[in-house]
Amino acid sequence: MLTGEYNHTMDAKGRVTIPARFREELGASFTVTRGFEGCLTAYPAERWARIRKNLESLSLTNTAGRKLSRLFLGNAIECEVDQMGRILIPNPLRNAADLKKDIVFTGLGDRVEIWDKEAWDAVNGKDALENMTPEELSKLEELEL
């Protein structure tokens, strides 16, 4: 399972080391695409295949489906881990997530989010739960943790 938070540095060419703990589960090749709230998301091949299949099955007349397909499929790239454990994040994805130098990888079970450190600190700071909307909090009440 992909869990934990890891800080790494991206070089000027857009290469960043994948945390060793994530490499085995993500595999030598995995998909990175735009995520929600300003991050990128990395998916192992099996999980990505299910997402892709679901998105491809959406009707072309469904406006929300088209937008979601553009977000996920239109921005997806297959990343291969090099011998040093790094991937190259292309400029369009770096720009979409406003990635600078300090990067945070956070494992969320079946996927990994890739954040710019400043953005991560803003969404996951000490007040993260306190800043949730009443609607978001009510959905949490439905969960049995």
Side-chain angles (χ1 to χ4, degrees):
M1 180 183 297
L2 299 160
T3 59
E5 178 182 322
Y6 302 90
N7 294 282
H8 285 268
T9 303
M10 184 172 60
D11 70 15
K13 294 180 181 179
R15 296 175 301 200
V16 64
T17 301
I18 299 298
R21 184 165 159 85
F22 292 162
R23 276 185 236 146
E24 185 176 327
E25 287 197 51
L26 286 172
S29 177
F30 53 89
T31 299
V32 174
T33 191
R34 288 182 60 179
F36 297 106
E37 292 135 358
C39 70
L40 301 179
T41 307
Y43 296 95
E46 182 180 303
R47 177 72 173 114
W48 179 249
R50 290 193 314 263
I51 290 170
R52 192 184 75 226
K53 182 180 178 184
N54 289 337
L55 289 171
E56 289 172 348
S57 71
L58 295 172
S59 170
L60 290 175
T61 60
N62 181 318
T63 303
R66 287 194 311 270
K67 289 180 180 181
L68 197 58
S69 290
R70 286 183 199 123
L71 176 76
F72 279 94
L73 299 176
N75 289 284
I77 59 152
E78 189 172 327
C79 291
E80 293 190 16
V81 180
D82 69 14
Q83 292 179 350
M84 296 177 68
R86 304 173 304 183
I87 60 166
L88 173 67
I89 301 174
N91 277 331
L93 286 178
R94 286 197 315 252
N95 293 336
D98 199 24
L99 298 181
K100 298 173 195 77
K101 184 176 180 178
D102 296 321
I103 307 298
V104 176
F105 292 86
T106 185
L108 299 172
D110 65 346
R111 65 194 183 281
V112 173
E113 288 184 343
I114 304 168
W115 290 85
D116 178 77
K117 174 104 171 85
E118 288 179 23
W120 173 249
D121 289 344
V123 300
N124 195 55
K126 66 178 183 169
D127 298 328
L129 287 176
E130 289 82 3
N131 291 330
M132 293 181 112
T133 67
E135 181 180 300
E136 291 169 328
L137 288 171
S138 70
K139 292 198 183 292
L140 287 179
E141 291 173 359
E142 298 169 10
L143 298 176
E144 292 185 28
L145 299 178

